[in-house]
Amino acid sequence: MKQFGWLILVLVVGLVGCDQNTVYKEYVDFEDGKWAVKNAPSFTFRIDDASIPYNIYYNLRNSLSYGYYNLYLTRYLRDSSGKEIESRLDELLLMDPKTGEPNGDGLGDLFDHKVLIKRNYRFPKPGLYTIQIRQYMRQDPLLNVLSVGITVEKATGAAQ
């Protein structure tokens, strides 16, 4: 009976720990921490309700050996027909430019970053969307970037 109680507790904690607002979250790992310019990961996700706003984030993992304080990325947002809705160059500050202190959450020499791309974004219609990401640092390959990804979440507390 004691084991059954522990099982129930583990299940309840597991269910409460799930983020109900996350619609999509995915990463792509780079072999040996080398991100080649030709490697432009794509992330395809479904939006069922276009009447509500969403927040979209970059997810990035790098090591402290990364040679720059920033990272330039170009992102492309496309609808299910492949039509480009938006393309944009973004700068992510991975370290403080003055102090060199790393931003993000770190464990050892690895740091995770979750950087807002779009706040309260409304997709034009329900359906499949794809975000493609290219590194734009002009170093090929870009060293010590371990993975990149995106998270799409329902915006909470937004005026709807």
Side-chain angles (χ1 to χ4, degrees):
M1 192 62 174
K2 236 182 195 183
Q3 291 175 343
F4 182 71
W6 278 107
L7 179 62
I8 295 294
L9 179 64
V10 168
L11 287 174
V12 168
V13 168
L15 288 174
V16 170
C18 293
D19 185 356
Q20 299 297 321
N21 290 325
T22 300
V23 173
Y24 179 85
K25 183 176 185 176
E26 191 67 42
Y27 289 86
V28 168
D29 294 328
F30 300 118
E31 189 172 334
D32 299 323
K34 297 177 182 176
W35 188 359
V37 170
K38 68 180 181 183
N39 187 351
S42 291
F43 304 92
T44 300
F45 53 94
R46 176 175 298 282
I47 295 298
D48 292 323
D49 187 354
S51 70
I52 63 171
Y54 294 85
N55 293 331
I56 307 171
Y57 300 88
Y58 286 121
N59 300 316
L60 184 87
R61 175 173 287 158
N62 67 287
S63 77
L64 275 179
S65 301
Y66 178 72
Y68 307 97
Y69 72 89
N70 63 353
L71 172 62
Y72 285 100
L73 301 175
T74 304
R75 65 177 150 91
Y76 306 89
L77 175 61
R78 297 181 181 98
D79 65 14
S80 59
S81 70
K83 178 185 173 197
E84 191 172 289
I85 297 171
E86 176 185 74
S87 66
R88 182 177 170 139
L89 177 67
D90 292 320
E91 179 185 21
L92 281 61
L93 294 177
L94 305 182
M95 297 178 197
D96 185 290
K98 293 181 182 174
T99 66
E101 288 293 314
N103 296 328
D105 296 322
L107 182 62
D109 74 335
L110 299 180
F111 280 81
D112 291 318
H113 307 269
K114 184 177 179 181
V115 180
L116 185 66
I117 298 173
K118 290 195 151 301
R119 180 186 312 274
N120 295 328
Y121 179 73
R122 291 185 190 266
F123 289 91
K125 61 184 179 184
L128 290 177
Y129 290 88
T130 300
I131 293 179
Q132 184 178 36
I133 303 171
R134 291 187 184 278
Q135 65 100 336
Y136 199 73
M137 293 295 287
R138 297 188 180 118
Q139 178 183 339
D140 195 16
L142 185 59
L143 304 177
N144 301 306
V145 177
L146 305 171
S147 60
V148 70
I150 65 160
T151 299
V152 179
E153 298 175 352
K154 294 177 186 175
T156 56
Q160 294 187 25

